[in-house]
Structure formats: C-alpha cells, structure tokens
Amino acid sequence: MSKSEMSGGAPEDSLDLVLPGAADTRREMMAWLNGLAKERRLSPKTVEAYARDLRQFLTFLTEHLGEPPSVKDVLGLKPLDIRSFLAARRMKAVGSRSLMRQLSALRSFARYLEREGHGTASAFAAIRSPKADRNLPRPLSASSAVAVTNKEARASEDRKPWILARDAAVLSLLYGAGLRISEALGLQRRDAPVNGVDSITVTGKGGKVRSVPVLPAIQRALEEYLHLCPYAIPPEGPLFVGARGGPLSPRIIQLAVEELRGALGLPDSATPHALRHSFATHLLARGGDLRGIQELLGHASLSTTQLYTKVDAARLMDAFNAAHPRARVK
C-alpha cells in the first residue's frame, strides 16, 4: 500500500503535511505504516486504525511537549508521558479495549524505531496494558429459566417426544447444576445421575474435575429422556445423542433455545450459557455462599465468580429506581 493509497488517492506530499509530528517522525510513521501493509500484510482497516492511534498520540504530544515531536522526542519519553496520554483518552470516555489496541500500536511503532537504529524506547514497554472491561453476565429471571427447561414449552413443535425430553434434560443441567454446555454434552452414559444418584462428576476447563449436586427435578428429566431414547447407549458412550444416535452437537441445543426465545418472548441474551449465569445469580440472590458457588461453577479464580455480585447489585438498583418513591425525586 502506497502513501497515496492510504490517503484515499491524495498526493504523498499532501498526506505528509497533515500528519502530526516533526518531519522525521512523519517520515518514519509513513514507513512503518507501509511496512504493516506490505510486510505484515495487515488489512487496510487495521492499518487505518493503527494510523489513527498514532496520529492521536502525536497530536497529544505536540500539545504536551509544546512542539511537534521528533523521533528523538518520542524515544525520550518517560512512562509518565504515556500514562498522561492514556489518561487523556480515558477522559474522553475511551474504553479499555480501545486503549489496549492504542497502546499496542504505539509499542509497534516504538519497536520499529528501535529496529531502524534510532535508539531504545523503553518507556512503552514499562506501561501496563489497561485491564479489559468485563461485560456483566446477563441471566434470565427465575421464571424464564424454569420455562426454558420445561419440555412443554415446545409442545407445539413438530419434534419427536424423546428429542424434546433430551433437550429439556440438557437445559435442566445447565440451569439446575450450572454446567457449561460442553460439560453437559461431554458426560457419558455411566455418569447419568439417575436411580437415586444425587450428584454428578464433571470435567471442566483445564481438565479440572468437580462434583455437583443434582436436584430431583433434573434426575426426573434425565430418567424421562433415557426412557424415551430409541438408542441403546453403552456405558462409555455419550449420555446425550443426536437424531441418528451419534454425539449431540452443541448447535442443536443452541437452536432449541433460539426456538424457545420466540415461543417465550425472551431477549437475544437468552442462550444456553445464560442458564449457567442464571444458576449462579439466583443462588447468590437466595443467600448462596460465594466460595461455594465458585466450586459449583468450577471457576479457577474467585474474581470470576464475583462478577455475579455486581449483577445482583445492578438488579437491586434497577428495582430500587423503579419502585422507590425517593428514587424518582429530582
């Protein structure tokens, strides 16, 4: 990609004039961007984003330093200078993910300057990347979660009874035991908690094994599925099978939930994984111990489980703002 191509057909000299920074900085910036496009074969949109990130940084430095920054100025920056730039971006409501990408672009340019023999840019490596914003889980209401696990909610569909019973059993494990869909579909026939067995052994992420209690309602759902299933499933075979008797695909359960969304009027956030979120959120709302919920979910870090406390607090504030008379007083 030539400089004129990057400017949408503008002459190379014109583009150089609109870039911030001293002449040598603008020259190295153009060479770096061309290298991203030609040598690293990054997409035009990625190169454009990197160019925008560096342009914003050099514009900030022009004001921060009192003059257009030269290559020597860039290499002579201190960590505080870069933190000042990130703080300024944060003040403009730029999110953590965008700041992470922007810092990545600056580090890439700094490494380029080092490779070209201009000196060492140690300040860029000394800055920690911002922590990415974590989206809060979006659980269903208790009534909606129960409705999703009820096979009668799909009674009007043209599906064989054993298929409906199978899907209901899988979804019951997701909501009633907090399993991931991969964990539920990874169970073997011999693992099935039926005939009075009230717990199940699950292998989660990283091969971590945990024991999860199973409610009577889940046991009944599994027993009904196994009773109706037309296939003789060997002990070491998958507990849940597809229409032809092979392992059940996660996509089938995802499609089942999509159909339930339409039937029950649920939002797009109602997914199989949302049932696991609902399991944790509803336990916490009823006074469940955070450490205990962590063990049930198989989270390696308590900080992951603590996200559900924020969900519960957010729902509480929504209820407060909607119902309390003082909340509506301006």
Side-chain angles (χ1 to χ4, degrees), residues 29 44 93 110 191 263-264 267 308 310:
M29 179 181 177
D191 299 325
L264 299 173
Y308 294 105
K310 297 181 180 179

Side-chain angles (χ1 to χ4, degrees), residues 1 14 227 248 273:
M1 180 185 295
S14 299
H227 175 71
L248 180 62
H273 201 66

Side-chain angles (χ1 to χ4, degrees), residues 186-252:
L187 295 172
Q188 295 183 327
R189 170 63 180 85
R190 61 189 174 199
D191 299 325
V194 294
N195 301 324
V197 177
D198 61 0
S199 65
I200 192 170
T201 300
V202 180
T203 302
K205 288 184 176 181
K208 185 178 180 181
V209 178
R210 69 185 189 277
S211 180
V212 181
V214 175
L215 300 170
I218 302 176
Q219 296 178 43
R220 291 193 295 270
L222 286 164
E223 288 169 354
E224 181 178 6
Y225 154 62
L226 290 172
H227 175 71
L228 295 175
C229 182
Y231 300 103
I233 307 174
E236 67 281 0
L239 172 58
F240 297 106
V241 296
R244 298 183 179 180
L248 180 62
S249 167
R251 183 57 184 156
I252 298 299

Side-chain angles (χ1 to χ4, degrees), residues 12 71 89 98 104 115 117 123 152 154 172 177 181 193 197 201 208 211 217 221 223 259 287 313 315 321:
E12 187 172 299
V71 169
R89 298 295 294 154
S98 295
S104 175
R115 289 195 305 270
E152 300 304 325
R154 300 174 64 198
S172 293
I181 189 170
V197 177
T201 300
K208 185 178 180 181
S211 180
E223 288 169 354
E259 292 172 347
R315 291 165 66 123
N321 289 328

